[in-house]
Amino acid sequence: MMLGGATARGVSLIKLLPPFRFRFKHSSALSKTICFQVYSTEASPGIERVTHEVLKEFLATVENAPTSNAKVYYGYIDKIRKAGNLSVASKMLEILNDKNIVVTLDVYNLILVEASQKNDIDLSSQVFRKLLLSCESPSATSCLKFAQAFSKVNDCVELLRFLEEISEITCSSTSSFINKIIFAFAKCGQRDKSLVIFDHLKRQGYGLDLVTYNIVLDILGRTGRVDEMLDVFASIKDTGFVPDTVSYNTLINGLRKAGRFDMCFVYFKEMTEKGG
């Protein structure tokens, strides 16, 4: 049975420590009690003390010096991460968001990397949501680490539900965000999930752009799915977009790899006639 990221056969046994509570004041003059559930190991008897000390320093900094350098917050969260308390690290990000404290993408990526290595989709989703709520634009690295957490998940139902939710709350361009996600899943070897995301969001009428279609054309071309590639290319015009040079070149390269040289000539001629 898994508990706190370790197995019963592991070197040490994970135990649940009493919740750690810390009270601090909001700008509204109302106080709030933060309750952290902390995990410890018998092999590290000092982990409880270290964790509590780091949390006290972190919360004191949030309350008394919220504009501290982002490296300071990175350091606190990194110490908690190294202690194996990823859920606590996620809670720390939530507090920073609640207090409108801006930190760099490195802080979020720190936990996303760990979550992807553990294939922890719940934690990865929590942190990714916090990243979007911070109004930071997710980097390619953030999206890639998020996608990697789903590498051992076959069912896309929860993934699609989550993407629908965060597509509505993202402060960045919706199409740009979707493009990064689709590309990230393809880059880490989950091309089928990329195509499922594309098909679902297309049916739901989400903001796709020409870049989205070009990315999908490339995915289909690399996997030799010629008929689907041709259908996607044809649907570009149905959406009101005009295929550009990237669209044509991607299509032609995919056809060439599949040995469809006759069609390569047809689309090359069409591209040149359109001034491509």
Side-chain angles (χ1 to χ4, degrees):
M1 179 180 72
M2 295 295 293
L3 180 58
T7 65
R9 294 182 299 171
V11 175
S12 61
L13 181 64
I14 298 294
K15 63 179 180 179
L16 190 64
L17 298 173
F20 169 70
R21 292 179 172 84
F22 189 87
R23 181 176 292 274
F24 68 100
K25 295 181 180 179
H26 278 286
S27 56
S28 62
L30 296 176
S31 62
K32 180 180 180 181
T33 299
I34 301 298
C35 178
F36 292 95
Q37 194 68 67
V38 180
Y39 296 92
S40 182
T41 67
E42 292 181 354
S44 304
I47 192 66
E48 178 181 3
R49 175 183 56 79
V50 172
T51 300
H52 285 192
E53 287 180 357
V54 172
L55 288 174
K56 284 182 179 180
E57 291 178 11
F58 167 77
L59 292 170
T61 301
V62 168
E63 180 60 24
N64 301 317
T67 59
S68 295
N69 191 292
K71 291 183 179 180
V72 173
Y73 293 113
Y74 182 98
Y76 288 135
I77 293 177
D78 191 36
K79 289 179 182 178
I80 295 298
R81 178 193 66 83
K82 290 177 179 177
N85 293 312
L86 296 181
S87 61
V88 174
S90 177
K91 183 66 176 179
M92 293 164 76
L93 284 177
E94 182 179 336
I95 292 173
L96 292 174
N97 282 346
D98 289 345
K99 299 287 283 186
N100 295 317
I101 297 174
V102 179
V103 294
T104 65
L105 285 171
D106 289 340
V107 178
Y108 294 91
N109 289 344
L110 183 69
I111 307 178
L112 285 172
V113 168
E114 195 81 17
S116 69
Q117 292 174 349
K118 297 179 181 296
N119 299 117
D120 191 333
I121 61 174
D122 290 334
L123 177 62
S124 184
S125 298
Q126 289 173 20
V127 175
F128 205 77
R129 183 184 290 108
K130 291 178 176 66
L131 169 56
L132 291 170
L133 288 172
S134 73
C135 290
E136 288 280 347
S137 177
S139 65
T141 298
S142 303
C143 294
L144 181 62
K145 295 307 175 184
F146 170 76
Q148 287 174 339
F150 288 81
S151 62
K152 294 186 178 180
V153 179
N154 295 322
D155 190 350
C156 292
V157 174
E158 292 300 323
L159 171 61
L160 294 178
R161 184 179 295 117
F162 177 74
L163 289 177
E164 283 188 13
E165 175 190 343
I166 61 179
S167 293
E168 297 174 357
I169 66 175
T170 179
C171 297
S172 58
S173 169
T174 300
S175 59
S176 175
F177 163 71
I178 290 173
N179 293 340
K180 289 179 182 178
I181 289 293
I182 292 176
F183 181 79
F185 272 90
K187 186 174 182 179
C188 66
Q190 302 182 74
R191 294 190 179 95
D192 286 343
K193 288 190 179 74
S194 291
L195 297 175
V196 169
I197 293 170
F198 169 73
D199 289 337
H200 177 77
L201 296 181
K202 182 181 177 183
R203 288 195 301 271
Q204 296 298 319
Y206 281 84
L208 307 180
D209 60 14
L210 184 58
V211 175
T212 314
Y213 285 90
N214 289 344
I215 292 172
V216 172
L217 284 174
D218 183 65
I219 294 172
L220 292 170
R222 289 178 182 273
T223 54
R225 298 159 74 166
V226 175
D227 291 339
E228 293 176 66
M229 183 173 57
L230 291 170
D231 287 341
V232 169
F233 185 83
S235 70
I236 292 178
K237 300 175 182 178
D238 296 336
T239 62
F241 296 121
V242 178
D244 60 7
T245 303
V246 175
S247 307
Y248 278 105
N249 284 336
T250 303
L251 175 65
I252 292 171
N253 283 334
L255 292 170
R256 177 182 58 80
K257 291 177 182 178
R260 302 294 297 273
F261 301 109
D262 55 334
M263 300 192 72
C264 287
F265 177 76
V266 171
Y267 284 103
F268 178 77
K269 181 179 179 181
E270 180 179 311
M271 179 179 67
T272 54
E273 288 176 351
K274 293 179 179 295

